[in-house]
Amino acid sequence: MSQTEVNQARSLVYNLFSSLFAWEISEQRQKELTSPDAMVFWDMLAQDPNMARPVQILLATLTQMTTERQRLELAADFCGLFLVGDKNAASPYASLYLSDEDRPTIFGEQHHVMCDFLRQSQLQVQSDFKEPADHLAVMLAFMAQLCVTASDESQLAFLETCIDSWLAAFVDKVDTCDPGQFYSALAKMTLQWVRDDISALKQL
Amino acid sequence: MTMNRRHFLKGLLSVSCVALGSTSVLKPLTAMAGTLSEPKEDWLVTGSHWGAFRINRKNGVIDKVLPFDTDKYPSDMINGIRGLVYNNSRARYPMVRLDYLLKGWDSDTTKRGDFRFVRVTWDQALELFIDALNTVQTQYGPSGLHAGQTGWRAVGQMHSCTSHMQRAVAMHGNFIKKVGDYSTGAGQVIMPYVLGSTEVYAQGTSWSLILEHTDTIVLWSNDPYKNLQVGWNTETHESYFYLAELKKKVKEGKIKVISIDPVVSKTQNYLENVEHQYVNPQTDVPLMLGIAHEMVKQGWHDADFIQGYSLGFDEFLKYLQGQSDGVEKTPEWASKICGISPERIRELAKVMTTGRVQMMMGWCVQRQQHGEQPYWMAAVLATMIGQIGLPGGGISYGHHYSGIGIPASGAAMPGAFPRNLDEGVKPIFDNNDFKGYSSVIPVARWIDSILEPGKVIDANGNKVTLPDIKMMVFSGCNPWNHHQNRNRMKEAYHKLKCVVTIDTNWNAGSRFSDIVLPACTTLERNDLDIYGAYANRGILAMHKMVEPLYESLSDFEIFTRFARKLGKEKEYTRGMNELQWLEYLYNGCKQANNGQFDMPDFASFWKAGYYDFGPGKPWVRHQAFREDPEINPLGTPSGLIEIYSRKIASYNYDDCPGHPTWMEKVERSHGGPGSKKHPIWLQSCHPDKRLHSQMCESDEFRATYTVKDREPCYLNAKDAKKRGIKNGDIVRVFNDRGQLLAGAVISSNFPEGVIRIQEGAWYSPVGKDGAKAGGWEIGALDSYGDPNTLTLDIGTSKLAQACSAYTCLVDYEKYTGKVPEVSGFSGPIEVSV
């Protein structure tokens, strides 16, 4: 397997995590995520002992949601965690975790950092994703781009400085605030993936 | 890379993974990129209640905010402007309370305030809104819907929240409306009977004339230095020039200022050398009667003025001298109630009849039970002094508000986006059958309506049958700030089937709603505003600083989409977009001023950002009336000042007779009713660091005045010591109506038996015992310090039926329970269902 292929695969995973933090699970998305091919992916991912439990939880939710009501309950979890406020929620914005200020607010310093990164890479946030650039989904999507365009050093630097620097704190917040289990599992899975990827990049 | 990982990645590429990834949230940068364009360093212009600004941006984000070129006295609330846009309370997406989405009008309404919401698209949200309107019009008719608004707004002639919402909802059907407001509810009803206009919203004698002619200014429960920071339109802050001049004159001994107030005001501290006259809370009328009694006794009153310009003094005199009720209103009588010595009352009578005296009333004294009386009685005192209509003499009821007292330029101001339907446009539900209910109710009585539909109440000479409200729509207006008694509001909200809120934030109003539509702030849309609400100094462009955050939209865009769904977009917009409307409004103004002011074309104005009409000429309130009361009568029934009102007397109200009268309150501190159980008077005045509840959301700025994250409560040192409270402690303030936590600030400005918690503090309920969950419950603990958790929800009288927030007794203690995190300034808290 060439390094290019490895990076394509990594990019795919980053994009997957990005999408799951960006949007609620629609019926269509649920079908995609439980398709036979997707199930193979989850099985493979679960082979990592650290991933097995979160994958199991994620799949339990994805495969057992059969009614609109259940989908709405999951959407309400998403909403309460990522779309309102910051106190009883797990705001997915780097600025809120990395700021030196006592009361950091949205569109803080990390938003500007990400704007600069995106501009340098000739990228921008999709117009239908109306979030600050320091949203976790934007950062993960940017990392997906870096996987296939940037040097290993650049990737490692971005991962460590911009994502790993706050991801664990964010994951803790999700774990505390999630009324269900899905997003808590997703967050843990993402953290594990990022940590593993950092290790892998360091070994190259 | 470990073998496992390589194995996994290899496997990943071997399966078809198209399904796994979704469309990236990123795309290639294009020339049209909005928020990611190169940083701009240009400084644009905008206005706000807090003043006008120049603002620059970086990466599509507001960077710096500076005072506008003309503002020489900017408020420090300029430091909160950025936080109006970037704060953690922002409403980001259209959302619906999950249980409402699932069950509609059969949802569980008892847990409103703490509930699960889901994001929906704008289309879905507007369709749910219209579905609810269909339901209310079909099942209940227009009396089931209140869309009359109960509170304030943001500045801007185009995007006024009330205009857009009411015009759009009126295209669907009719609804209950309100009369009056919470700020001046009693004043604006009583004063037309007495002086012929609301007086509270009227231009006053120019400050320059006051500085020139006045010997003594009597500030009666009035704090202009605090309140002039904000305005109904963009505030110019020119008043502060005159206050600075006044300070000099006071220092030089050329003008005496007496502040009659239970507390030492910010104005008093600013002016220095002010004579503070303490008065027991809610006892201004006995003090005024005592002063009047002494004036008559000594013959100091102006009998000629009374004779020539007023009506009914003889009738009043019978009351003053005890012939009508057997109680003579002597200084001794007054002293026992108001807490001021008879000698001092006599001295005040002398001072107020010596030289040129300008009385300046604040609004607080009319926000209490029988709030009509102090305003009426103050007008009687001013009539007895006899200087109404003279420069620097008489009485005013608004020198603390929106730049009243700055001479008006005389220019015509731009119109606004229309609130009503255009001529010939009919609603879809063209039904005017209110089923015997009143279609207009006094503003502060909507909770009564929900709780007691069908009840007939008196109001300003009419009978009002309270409607059976099932659905409410609020836009840019947070009733969970301005209404009284939160627990009573919760009871009422249980009975509402649907509440729709259009707001910029997740304040309590949004949290207690079913459908929440995110509006953008004034800094995220184009508009224009009047510079100086009463001075009409100029027209200010309000340039859009940044694109609307998240999926928020301007009021115009929200209701254009709403009207489109009704098939009435063209009727709503008249075929014009935002900028076309601005040009239309501007051109109307230009045309109206043709020949008087040479205004540039719209494009030039928009580029410059401001057109200045220049200063106005000094003016004296009621001067024309004084010059000839027959040619220039007041708007009262007789055309004269009505010390006795036959009209009010004809209503036969026991709580508002035909002349100013002292009536005991249901609650009064300093020995009054209820003071044994709850001895402290709660003063919930307008805030120093907000405009009502606006700007409370500005996180960084809020942190400059909170105490352990709580709203400050200002305490008297002896009272605090008695309760073992030190500066910085968390205090539980309570009465039988509710409980809140606030942060202790011990201050010599406050006398024994008085506590101040400024209104506008966002209601942030948690469980009764401080637990995170349970904010929805009756009896919940407010974790931030909203004084209206505790206030009394009764009308001032049968006349005005206005809010009586100042009739409120409480007690407080050091809080020793579990200290909850403040639950406001974030999204709704979820509870398991």
Side-chain angles (χ1 to χ4, degrees):
Chain A
M1 189 184 189
S2 72
Q3 192 56 37
T4 308
E5 286 171 324
V6 165
N7 287 338
Q8 279 172 359
R10 288 172 56 233
S11 175
L12 205 63
V13 176
Y14 276 112
N15 256 334
L16 168 66
F17 288 143
S18 167
S19 74
L20 293 173
F21 285 111
W23 306 106
E24 297 89 337
I25 307 287
S26 65
E27 194 175 355
Q28 173 64 26
R29 190 75 180 121
Q30 186 192 358
K31 276 186 193 150
E32 289 167 1
L33 293 168
T34 51
S35 68
D37 281 346
M39 295 308 280
V40 175
F41 164 79
W42 295 120
D43 282 348
M44 287 189 294
L45 198 60
Q47 285 172 21
D48 180 338
N50 292 322
M51 291 285 201
R53 178 70 185 143
V55 168
Q56 190 189 355
I57 293 169
L58 226 71
L59 279 182
T61 306
L62 288 172
T63 53
Q64 286 164 26
M65 274 197 310
T66 54
T67 64
E68 184 62 12
R69 165 83 193 232
Q70 288 170 315
R71 265 187 298 277
L72 285 172
E73 290 288 355
L74 187 62
D77 290 351
F78 182 92
C79 178
L81 285 168
F82 307 133
L83 301 181
V84 289
D86 67 330
K87 286 209 188 97
N88 307 297
S91 281
Y93 309 121
S95 291
L96 297 186
Y97 298 85
L98 294 178
S99 171
D100 295 333
E101 294 165 29
D102 284 348
R103 280 156 217 283
T105 51
I106 50 175
F107 288 86
E109 187 52 34
Q110 300 306 311
H111 166 76
H112 294 289
V113 169
M114 277 305 297
C115 284
D116 291 343
F117 276 138
L118 291 172
R119 196 180 304 113
Q120 285 157 16
S121 303
Q122 294 290 302
L123 290 169
Q124 61 180 313
V125 180
Q126 291 276 8
S127 52
D128 66 346
F129 187 68
K130 293 186 178 283
E131 290 281 343
D134 63 340
H135 190 291
L136 180 60
V138 176
M139 292 190 160
L140 292 171
F142 186 62
M143 187 59 209
Q145 288 282 332
L146 292 184
C147 287
V148 291
T149 57
S151 68
D152 294 335
E153 293 74 21
S154 303
Q155 292 179 42
L156 183 60
F158 179 78
L159 260 186
E160 288 194 315
T161 318
C162 296
I163 298 183
D164 193 45
S165 49
W166 63 284
L167 190 60
F170 165 75
V171 173
D172 279 351
K173 202 86 201 275
V174 177
D175 201 33
T176 310
C177 301
D178 190 5
Q181 294 184 306
F182 182 88
Y183 288 103
S184 172
L186 172 67
K188 285 176 190 161
M189 196 188 293
T190 308
L191 180 63
Q192 186 63 44
W193 167 260
V194 166
R195 293 272 160 91
D196 286 349
D197 206 34
I198 287 172
S199 304
L201 284 167
K202 280 182 174 169
Q203 285 169 23
L204 283 173
Chain B
M1 181 177 284
T2 62
M3 280 314 292
N4 257 351
R5 184 175 169 79
R6 184 169 282 275
H7 171 72
F8 159 67
L9 292 169
K10 191 178 172 186
L12 180 56
L13 277 188
S14 70
V15 297
S16 168
C17 292
V18 177
L20 276 183
S22 64
T23 315
S24 171
V25 297
L26 297 177
K27 66 178 180 181
L29 187 64
T30 63
M32 294 297 289
T35 57
L36 296 179
S37 55
E38 288 294 324
K40 287 184 180 171
E41 294 302 330
D42 50 340
W43 291 83
L44 298 180
V45 176
T46 193
S48 76
H49 297 299
W50 301 273
F53 312 113
R54 285 195 184 275
I55 293 179
N56 77 342
R57 293 83 47 82
K58 185 180 160 194
N59 281 324
V61 176
I62 290 169
D63 193 27
K64 292 191 182 68
V65 181
L66 296 177
F68 190 55
D69 326 5
T70 60
D71 192 346
K72 306 302 177 201
Y73 299 88
S75 159
D76 73 345
M77 282 185 264
I78 190 172
N79 298 316
I81 295 296
R82 200 180 172 283
L84 294 174
V85 179
Y86 308 110
N87 65 70
N88 295 321
S89 316
R90 277 295 295 253
R92 302 171 188 171
Y93 298 92
M95 287 190 190
V96 180
R97 192 167 62 90
L98 178 57
D99 204 50
Y100 182 86
L101 187 64
L102 293 168
K103 299 177 195 152
W105 281 40
D106 295 322
S107 79
D108 177 3
T109 58
T110 61
K111 291 190 183 64
R112 277 213 189 94
D114 259 344
F115 228 101
R116 286 157 74 70
F117 280 79
V118 285
R119 166 163 68 177
V120 293
T121 64
W122 268 106
D123 276 340
Q124 280 175 286
L126 291 172
E127 281 158 18
L128 284 164
F129 184 1
I130 292 168
D131 282 350
L133 291 172
N134 290 339
T135 304
V136 77
Q137 294 290 354
T138 309
Q139 292 187 15
Y140 301 96
S143 59
L145 174 65
H146 188 316
Q149 293 282 78
T150 55
W152 259 63
R153 61 166 209 148
V155 301
Q157 293 298 92
M158 166 63 189
H159 286 282
S160 185
C161 49
T162 301
S163 297
H164 284 282
M165 186 274 278
Q166 291 193 336
R167 179 174 165 90
V169 173
M171 288 183 163
H172 181 274
N174 297 314
F175 50 84
I176 301 293
K177 293 181 178 168
K178 61 94 184 181
V179 62
D181 61 46
Y182 282 75
S183 296
T184 67
Q188 66 180 266
V189 170
I190 185 70
M191 293 321 293
Y193 289 98
V194 180
L195 288 175
S197 90
T198 68
E199 297 298 305
V200 291
Y201 300 132
Q203 179 60 287
T205 298
S206 302
W207 278 106
S208 58
L209 295 174
I210 292 170
L211 290 168
E212 188 183 338
H213 295 282
T214 306
D215 295 305
T216 301
I217 293 176
V218 179
L219 294 172
W220 205 301
S221 289
N222 193 353
D223 199 352
Y225 194 75
K226 165 167 71 73
N227 293 324
L228 285 166
Q229 296 178 90
V230 297
W232 177 255
N233 290 105
T234 298
E235 184 50 49
T236 67
H237 297 135
E238 289 166 274
S239 311
Y240 285 89
F241 165 77
Y242 297 108
L243 288 174
E245 291 296 302
L246 177 60
K247 181 173 179 163
K248 281 185 211 159
K249 295 231 173 201
V250 171
K251 192 176 180 187
E252 292 162 5
K254 291 179 178 165
I255 295 180
K256 181 207 276 272
V257 176
I258 304 173
S259 175
I260 302 178
D261 200 318
V263 310
V264 175
S265 67
K266 189 177 182 184
T267 307
Q268 183 181 337
N269 285 327
Y270 166 73
L271 290 175
E272 300 172 354
N273 305 308
V274 169
E275 234 176 84
H276 179 231
Q277 180 52 63
Y278 166 83
V279 57
N280 280 341
Q282 302 190 86
T283 66
D284 305 271
V285 171
L287 171 59
M288 290 173 183
L289 287 167
I291 291 171
H293 188 278
E294 182 66 8
M295 285 179 183
V296 172
K297 188 178 170 190
Q298 301 296 342
W300 292 334
H301 61 299
D302 187 335
D304 290 343
F305 185 80
I306 293 169
Q307 173 69 28
Y309 294 91
S310 75
L311 197 74
F313 185 67
D314 292 345
E315 202 68 31
F316 170 72
L317 209 54
K318 288 182 205 159
Y319 170 71
L320 187 69
Q321 297 181 328
Q323 289 136 9
S324 59
D325 67 346
V327 180
E328 198 173 353
K329 312 302 176 301
T330 60
E332 283 73 16
W333 167 84
S335 174
K336 286 178 193 148
I337 306 169
C338 71
I340 304 172
S341 73
E343 295 71 35
R344 176 60 177 157
I345 294 173
R346 291 194 171 90
E347 197 181 314
L348 285 169
K350 181 69 188 165
V351 170
M352 289 175 74
T353 48
T354 304
R356 190 62 58 84
V357 177
Q358 175 73 52
M359 293 174 69
M360 292 185 177
M361 303 298 295
W363 289 353
C364 292
V365 286
Q366 51 87 59
R367 272 198 306 273
Q368 58 175 265
Q369 192 186 16
H370 315 129
E372 297 86 353
Q373 303 306 315
Y375 263 33
W376 195 352
M377 186 56 217
V380 173
L381 272 186
T383 307
M384 293 171 72
I385 294 167
Q387 297 177 0
I388 289 174
L390 291 178
I395 187 163
S396 79
Y397 295 83
H399 268 99
H400 60 286
Y401 176 65
S402 285
I404 282 176
I406 301 167
S409 66
M413 288 295 106
F417 185 83
R419 181 169 296 186
N420 299 318
L421 297 182
D422 291 346
E423 207 178 323
V425 176
K426 295 278 182 198
I428 293 168
F429 286 84
D430 191 11
N431 174 11
N432 257 314
D433 180 8
F434 283 76
K435 298 183 176 170
Y437 296 116
S438 297
S439 60
V440 178
I441 60 173
V443 65
R445 306 272 60 86
W446 59 282
I447 290 290
D448 290 355
S449 291
I450 299 167
L451 290 172
E452 299 179 89
K455 184 178 174 182
V456 178
I457 63 167
D458 287 298
N460 203 11
N462 300 307
K463 296 284 181 192
V464 170
T465 305
L466 298 177
D468 193 3
I469 301 167
K470 298 295 179 190
M471 175 175 176
M472 293 199 72
V473 184
F474 297 98
S475 182
C477 154
N478 173 14
W480 290 80
N481 169 50
H482 49 253
H483 196 75
Q484 284 59 60
N485 193 341
R486 297 285 167 261
N487 286 318
R488 190 162 185 263
M489 286 182 75
K490 284 181 186 169
E491 278 178 46
Y493 265 56
H494 293 171
K495 292 184 71 182
L496 288 174
K497 295 288 187 184
C498 179
V499 183
V500 179
T501 290
I502 301 103
D503 208 296
T504 52
N505 288 99
W506 278 103
N507 53 37
S510 300
R511 292 162 73 153
F512 278 83
S513 298
D514 300 305
I515 300 173
V516 177
L517 306 179
C520 67
T521 69
T522 55
L523 297 163
E524 297 155 76
R525 51 175 169 69
N526 292 303
D527 210 327
L528 53 82
D529 199 35
I530 294 164
Y531 193 44
Y534 289 87
N536 294 347
R537 180 64 197 246
I539 305 181
L540 195 69
M542 294 175 65
H543 295 140
K544 183 199 276 188
M545 297 296 158
V546 292
E547 291 300 316
L549 260 57
Y550 302 96
E551 281 190 7
S552 66
L553 297 173
S554 71
D555 296 284
F556 178 64
E557 179 62 25
I558 291 170
F559 285 105
T560 298
R561 293 187 188 191
F562 173 95
R564 192 179 300 148
K565 288 199 178 288
L566 299 182
K568 288 179 172 286
E569 180 179 354
K570 187 122 193 247
E571 283 142 292
Y572 182 74
T573 64
R574 294 185 188 165
M576 290 188 281
N577 64 25
E578 183 188 62
L579 277 172
Q580 286 167 331
W581 264 102
L582 294 182
E583 187 164 0
Y584 169 76
L585 295 174
Y586 179 85
N587 285 340
C589 175
K590 181 174 156 66
Q591 200 177 358
N593 284 311
N594 197 15
Q596 198 186 357
F597 296 97
D598 187 21
M599 293 170 66
D601 61 39
F602 177 71
S604 307
F605 157 75
W606 190 251
K607 194 172 174 202
Y610 179 57
Y611 180 77
D612 188 359
F613 291 112
K617 288 188 185 130
W619 181 84
V620 178
R621 178 135 197 93
H622 296 311
Q623 189 174 37
F625 166 67
R626 187 176 187 105
E627 282 168 2
D628 193 330
E630 283 186 24
I631 293 176
N632 308 303
L634 298 179
T636 56
S638 64
L640 300 170
I641 300 166
E642 299 214 353
I643 292 173
Y644 179 86
S645 165
R646 284 181 199 155
K647 204 166 179 188
I648 291 178
S650 75
Y651 301 153
N652 284 314
Y653 294 157
D654 55 355
D655 53 7
C656 190
H659 57 71
T661 304
W662 161 245
M663 286 164 281
E664 186 54 276
K665 318 296 167 204
V666 290
E667 287 180 20
R668 186 170 66 76
S669 59
H670 300 83
S675 60
K676 281 191 181 149
K677 187 172 183 191
H678 297 114
I680 309 289
W681 177 63
L682 171 64
Q683 187 196 48
S684 51
C685 61
H686 186 276
D688 186 29
K689 304 287 185 188
R690 295 184 290 265
L691 167 64
H692 296 306
S693 63
Q694 294 187 44
M695 202 179 269
C696 202
E697 70 270 31
S698 192
D699 297 297
E700 200 181 339
F701 186 65
R702 189 176 68 253
T704 62
Y705 61 82
T706 48
V707 178
K708 293 200 171 85
D709 287 340
R710 324 283 143 171
E711 180 72 9
C713 60
Y714 298 93
L715 312 175
N716 169 269
K718 278 189 189 167
D719 285 341
K721 195 176 174 192
K722 218 184 287 177
R723 290 164 176 79
I725 292 165
K726 295 191 187 68
N727 250 331
D729 282 347
I730 294 181
V731 170
R732 188 179 80 99
V733 188
F734 59 92
N735 59 18
D736 291 340
R737 289 182 289 272
Q739 54 170 346
L740 62 81
L741 299 183
V745 178
I746 296 168
S747 163
S748 57
N749 293 333
F750 299 89
E752 279 183 81
V754 172
I755 180 176
R756 170 183 286 188
I757 307 177
Q758 297 171 121
E759 55 97 1
W762 280 21
Y763 182 55
S764 305
V766 295
K768 288 173 189 166
D769 54 357
K772 186 171 159 185
W776 52 273
E777 289 174 304
I778 306 273
L781 177 67
D782 173 27
S783 60
Y784 181 67
D786 166 16
N788 280 321
T789 306
L790 305 164
T791 50
L792 179 65
D793 184 13
I794 59 165
T796 50
S797 79
K798 295 185 176 79
L799 189 81
Q801 291 288 3
C803 114
S804 304
Y806 269 51
T807 298
C808 180
L809 295 189
V810 301
D811 202 348
Y812 59 90
E813 64 186 11
K814 186 170 172 173
Y815 183 63
T816 53
K818 182 186 170 192
V819 178
E821 191 181 11
V822 173
S823 69
F825 315 112
S826 192
I829 296 176
E830 294 188 354
V831 287
S832 302
V833 288

